[in-house]
Amino acid sequence: MPAEPAPATRPVAAARRRRLRADQARQLADLLRHQILAGGFPDGALPLENTIAAEYRTSRNTVRQALDLLRGEQLIDRQPGVGTVVVCEKYPHGLDRLQGLAETLHEHGRVTNEVRTVGPVTASGPVAHRLGLPEHTEVLCIERLRRLNGLPLSLDLSYLPMDVGSELLGCDLENTDVFRLLESLTGGPLGHAEITVEAVNADAHSAAVLEAPRGAAVLMLERLTRLPDGRPVDLEFIRFRGDRITMSGVLHRSL
C-alpha cells in the first residue's frame, strides 16, 4: 500500500496537478480555437462538454477550463437552453500576396474607409529614412479607419513621397484601396513589400477609434511597399483589432 504523502508535500503535489490541468486546458483551447476559425462548427454550436472530453481524451474539468479561456477571448459564449456557441467571427488576412484590405477580404463583405487625416507633414528621421528621402522632407500622411461591414477593423497610418502622394489628394480614398490608386497613378503593378507583425497594446487614441478596450492587444502590421524598381512608395503602420482578424501564410522551406 503506498505511503501517505507527507503534509508538506501535499500543497506541492496539488500545485503540480493544477499546473498540469492548466497546461492541458491551454492546449485544448488552441485546438478548439483552430476548429472554430476554420469553420469546424458550421451551425455555430460546440459539442457538449462530455463529447469534447471523450474526443480529446481529457477530463470535463479541463474542457471547462479550455472553454473559459475561449470565453475570455470573447470567441464563444454560453447561452441558456442552447449550449456553447460561437459569438465572434475572425476574418483571414493572408500574408502570401501583396493586396489591399478590400482585395484581401472581398469575400467577407464591404470594406469602407473613414479618412481621418490627409495632408502633407514633415517626415521624421525614421520615416524619411525608410522612404529613402532626406530628413525633414514633406510626405503625404493618411490616417484611415477601415471598417468591414460597418465594424471597426483597423486603423491605418500611411506615409507616401509627395511626388506620388500629392496625386492621391483628389482620389476616392473612402472607397478605394491605396494600392489600386497607386497602380493607377504609376501605370503598373506594385513590386513587393517588407512586413513586420507584432502585438502591441492599444493606446487611448487607437482604442477609442477601434472601439476596443484601452490597453487591449492589437496586431500591428508595419509594411513598406516598393515599386518594381525597388523604390519605396508607401510606409504603413496598421493596427488591427486582434479579436477580428487572423493572419496566415504558406511558407516553403528551401535548403
Side-chain angles (χ1 to χ4, degrees), residues 137-193:
T137 301
E138 276 199 338
V139 296
L140 182 69
C141 175
I142 306 173
E143 183 182 77
R144 294 166 297 159
L145 171 62
R146 320 292 301 278
R147 298 178 184 270
L148 178 62
N149 299 325
L151 292 176
L153 185 62
S154 71
L155 181 62
D156 300 13
L157 184 63
S158 304
Y159 298 99
L160 304 99
M162 281 304 297
D163 64 323
V164 175
S166 61
E167 298 294 326
L168 296 177
L169 291 174
C171 295
D172 184 7
L173 293 169
E174 292 188 353
N175 298 292
T176 314
D177 278 338
V178 167
F179 281 179
R180 285 196 175 277
L181 295 174
L182 287 175
E183 289 179 330
S184 175
L185 293 172
T186 60
L190 296 169
H192 68 277

Side-chain angles (χ1 to χ4, degrees), residues 29-68:
D30 289 343
L31 297 173
L32 292 173
R33 186 187 303 104
H34 173 79
Q35 280 191 277
I36 292 169
L37 298 180
F41 307 112
D43 63 352
L46 273 66
L48 297 174
E49 291 177 0
N50 283 339
T51 304
I52 297 175
E55 180 178 353
Y56 288 96
R57 299 183 179 182
T58 190
S59 69
R60 284 191 65 181
N61 282 339
T62 299
V63 172
R64 291 192 186 105
Q65 281 189 247
L67 295 178
D68 284 343

Side-chain angles (χ1 to χ4, degrees), residues 53-214:
E55 180 178 353
Y56 288 96
R57 299 183 179 182
T58 190
S59 69
R60 284 191 65 181
N61 282 339
T62 299
V63 172
R64 291 192 186 105
Q65 281 189 247
L67 295 178
D68 284 343
L69 292 174
L70 297 176
R71 271 193 290 271
E73 298 175 18
Q74 300 181 346
L75 193 58
I76 62 171
D77 200 5
R78 183 83 178 174
Q79 295 184 356
V82 178
T84 302
V85 297
V86 179
V87 294
C88 179
E89 183 176 5
K90 288 193 175 187
Y91 301 99
H93 187 295
L95 298 177
D96 301 294
R97 299 179 61 191
L98 182 56
Q99 293 183 313
L101 193 64
E103 295 173 312
T104 301
L105 300 178
H106 72 279
E107 296 179 353
H108 302 281
R110 182 167 179 258
V111 173
T112 56
N113 309 311
E114 176 188 326
V115 181
R116 299 177 56 80
T117 301
V118 58
V121 298
T122 301
S124 64
V127 169
H129 174 72
R130 296 293 302 281
L131 290 174
L133 301 171
E135 286 194 27
H136 311 304
T137 301
E138 276 199 338
V139 296
L140 182 69
C141 175
I142 306 173
E143 183 182 77
R144 294 166 297 159
L145 171 62
R146 320 292 301 278
R147 298 178 184 270
L148 178 62
N149 299 325
L151 292 176
L153 185 62
S154 71
L155 181 62
D156 300 13
L157 184 63
S158 304
Y159 298 99
L160 304 99
M162 281 304 297
D163 64 323
V164 175
S166 61
E167 298 294 326
L168 296 177
L169 291 174
C171 295
D172 184 7
L173 293 169
E174 292 188 353
N175 298 292
T176 314
D177 278 338
V178 167
F179 281 179
R180 285 196 175 277
L181 295 174
L182 287 175
E183 289 179 330
S184 175
L185 293 172
T186 60
L190 296 169
H192 68 277
E194 301 139 24
I195 64 171
T196 301
V197 181
E198 61 180 319
V200 300
N201 292 330
D203 59 277
H205 169 70
S206 300
V209 173
L210 290 171
E211 299 177 16
R214 183 172 180 176

